[in-house]
Amino acid sequence: MKTVGIIAEYNPFHKGHQYMIEKSKVHTNAQRAVVVMSGSFIQRGEPAIFDKWTRATCALQNGADMVLELPVLFATANAETFARGSIKVLQDANMIDALCFGSESGDLAAMQEAAKIMMNETEEFQRLLKQYLDEGVSYPTARAKALETVSNISSEILSRPNHILGLEYLKALDYYHSNIEPFTIQRKGGQYDDTTLQGEYASASAIRTAIFSENTAEAFLQLPENTRDLLTKELSLGCAPASMEHLTSALHYKLRTTCAEDLQEIFEVTEGLENRILRAVENGYFAEDLITFIKSKRYTRTKIQRILIHILLDIRTKEVDYFLRRNHLPYIRVLGFQKDHAEILGDLTEQAKCPVLTNLKKAPALLDEDGLHLLALEKLATDLQALAVPNPLYRTPNKDFTTPMAIL
């Protein structure tokens, strides 16, 4: 039975995601879809607005057959590390035939050509990249300009978020010498960073903005109807939306008890940025104030948000490098699956190249030291995401050990 892999955040799950799952199966002639989904934090450097079990349930209600968790070590990383970690999960699952991802153009050939150039950077490309970086622009912008200069490929390929991730998926497949076949589908509707609700397929950014503005009635028109009751309940109880602002005190505690030398070891902290981060504590209190102070033309808001999450979770460069270098992940964690395709869990357990976790209480008997370390980091991420929800009654810890898989 052919299986397609999809990499996603579902923050929240909307009609565009539903469309993507449906088209991915058709486009790849697959009977099953396995989703690798970010857990408690997302790549923008924010807590997911709904918890991972709620988001997994929404996916399973709308065409996904299994949802696997992308470890937070990779989920909160830059595009290259996010992609490598995601592909590593699919590789270790050892049952994925195809990868399907959304892109602004839907032009796989052009993306593959760009990915090839990026994987084999010439001296000219590296010189131009350094030149543009020295001019003070961000790394994504510098890379896009360098690519356009050394090739006939438009910088548009590297200037849109889904293109950027798609290129990194292609690079990661090559890096791991993967037999997974890539496919891309042109996105429909609003752009990734649109903040206004429009058309049939609004962006997740626009939907989040509406939810935080308490405009849920309009926001929910962009969600599959079968998810609305579940999400309405989460919002009414105050289990969502989780917000970075609720982590302000935790962030200040961490920054005020961490020295510059330790910050230098945090993933993505480079070029003396640790000093700017520590100065930010003296110039503002709220998380938004800290981000505004630290970000610059060179360092994007998203990068700064990711770094703040890395600081909260104590994610260090050497740790990320180590787990990427391992031949296989310490484990694969299942967040949920479809009962109609219950054999998919058996297939995963039988074929995976590493232990499969469905019940964390069994983890000590299944995992090595690395696995227990990675799981402890995941528990911390889940506990922090719980602290970010509006209602204090639902900020309880240990949800990783008390919340069952989503089985539909």
Side-chain angles (χ1 to χ4, degrees):
M1 190 176 290
K2 191 170 185 180
T3 304
V4 60
I6 298 171
I7 299 164
E9 294 184 318
Y10 298 152
N11 190 44
F13 190 94
H14 56 67
K15 289 180 180 178
H17 297 133
Q18 181 186 44
Y19 171 86
M20 180 68 185
I21 294 174
E22 292 172 355
K23 291 298 180 183
S24 293
K25 288 183 175 180
V26 172
H27 204 54
T28 62
N29 195 29
Q31 292 76 46
R32 307 186 302 195
V34 171
V35 175
V36 175
M37 188 188 78
S38 302
S40 299
F41 286 84
I42 61 168
Q43 210 240 341
R44 294 170 64 95
E46 298 171 345
I49 65 170
F50 295 97
D51 71 47
K52 53 195 174 188
W53 298 280
T54 299
R55 286 154 41 235
T57 298
C58 292
L60 293 169
Q61 287 174 329
N62 290 279
D65 298 287
M66 176 178 281
V67 180
L68 308 176
E69 183 171 30
L70 176 62
V72 69
L73 202 68
F74 309 128
T76 58
N78 56 56
E80 181 177 48
T81 304
F82 178 94
R84 281 197 184 179
S86 301
I87 296 298
K88 201 172 181 72
V89 174
L90 293 176
Q91 277 285 101
D92 283 351
N94 199 31
M95 56 182 287
I96 308 300
D97 302 290
L99 167 71
C100 200
F101 58 88
S103 62
E104 284 80 5
S105 68
D107 188 345
L108 182 63
M111 296 182 71
Q112 287 176 316
E113 183 182 353
K116 186 175 181 181
I117 293 173
M118 292 162 60
M119 287 184 293
N120 300 281
E121 295 180 356
T122 62
E123 289 185 8
E124 176 67 1
F125 181 91
Q126 292 175 349
R127 183 188 68 77
L128 287 167
L129 181 63
K130 183 178 185 303
Q131 174 187 318
Y132 294 133
L133 286 172
D134 289 344
E135 291 174 3
V137 301
S138 67
Y139 180 81
T141 301
R143 189 172 64 168
K145 292 176 70 174
L147 178 70
E148 188 169 48
T149 303
V150 302
S151 70
N152 294 319
I153 300 171
S154 169
S155 61
E156 178 72 13
I157 286 286
L158 273 175
S159 63
R160 300 305 303 162
N162 289 282
H163 275 151
I164 292 170
L165 278 175
L167 288 168
E168 294 299 344
Y169 296 149
L170 295 172
K171 287 172 56 183
L173 288 172
D174 182 82
Y175 178 83
Y176 290 120
H177 307 290
S178 177
N179 291 321
I180 297 172
E181 184 179 6
F183 295 84
T184 189
I185 294 174
Q186 188 171 17
R187 290 182 75 255
K188 282 194 171 187
Q191 294 298 319
Y192 172 87
D193 50 1
D194 282 349
T195 56
T196 57
L197 297 172
Q198 56 183 355
E200 184 181 0
Y201 298 104
S203 71
S205 293
I207 296 169
R208 287 194 300 273
T209 299
I211 290 173
F212 279 113
S213 301
E214 298 185 359
N215 184 16
T216 53
E218 190 175 354
F220 277 26
L221 293 176
Q222 300 290 339
L223 312 182
E225 194 170 344
N226 61 7
T227 68
R228 295 174 193 172
D229 286 348
L230 173 61
L231 300 187
T232 297
K233 180 180 178 182
E234 293 291 299
L235 291 171
S236 64
L237 289 173
C239 300
S243 167
M244 190 69 176
E245 288 302 331
H246 290 302
L247 297 179
T248 293
S249 294
L251 189 54
H252 268 272
Y253 171 78
K254 193 72 175 179
L255 290 174
R256 295 179 189 194
T257 57
T258 305
C259 63
E261 290 73 18
D262 283 343
L263 284 182
Q264 287 175 348
E265 306 210 357
I266 297 295
F267 185 46
E268 295 194 75
V269 173
T270 57
E271 301 170 326
L273 192 55
E274 67 277 3
N275 298 313
R276 189 175 180 88
I277 292 169
L278 291 178
R279 286 200 304 274
V281 178
E282 303 170 2
N283 287 273
Y285 176 73
F286 294 104
E288 180 62 32
D289 298 330
L290 300 178
I291 294 164
T292 300
F293 182 88
I294 302 167
K295 73 181 180 68
S296 65
K297 187 177 179 181
R298 178 71 174 269
Y299 301 110
T300 64
R301 177 188 182 88
T302 300
K303 180 181 176 72
I304 298 307
Q305 289 182 166
R306 286 201 307 266
I307 287 173
L308 293 179
I309 297 302
H310 297 160
I311 293 170
L312 273 174
L313 296 172
D314 199 29
I315 295 176
R316 302 184 177 232
T317 302
K318 63 182 181 181
E319 183 179 26
V320 177
D321 291 343
Y322 173 77
F323 281 101
L324 281 177
R325 285 198 310 270
R326 273 185 58 125
N327 289 333
H328 303 294
L329 291 169
Y331 63 83
I332 290 176
R333 183 180 182 186
V334 181
L335 291 177
F337 67 94
Q338 277 276 7
K339 283 190 293 188
D340 288 348
H341 278 167
E343 83 287 342
I344 198 171
L345 183 60
D347 290 349
L348 176 67
T349 304
E350 182 180 333
Q351 298 177 42
K353 298 178 181 179
C354 58
V356 174
L357 282 182
T358 56
N359 182 342
L360 267 58
K361 293 176 182 178
K362 298 179 180 179
L366 290 174
L367 304 185
D368 60 12
E369 184 177 350
D370 284 351
L372 293 174
H373 173 80
L374 200 61
L375 190 59
L377 180 62
E378 213 63 59
K379 176 188 177 298
L380 175 59
T382 305
D383 288 349
L384 279 172
Q385 195 269 350
L387 285 178
V389 306
N391 189 342
L393 293 176
Y394 293 96
R395 294 175 184 169
T396 53
N398 297 317
K399 290 183 179 179
D400 278 307
F401 292 87
T402 59
T403 308
M405 284 192 300
I407 303 175
L408 272 64

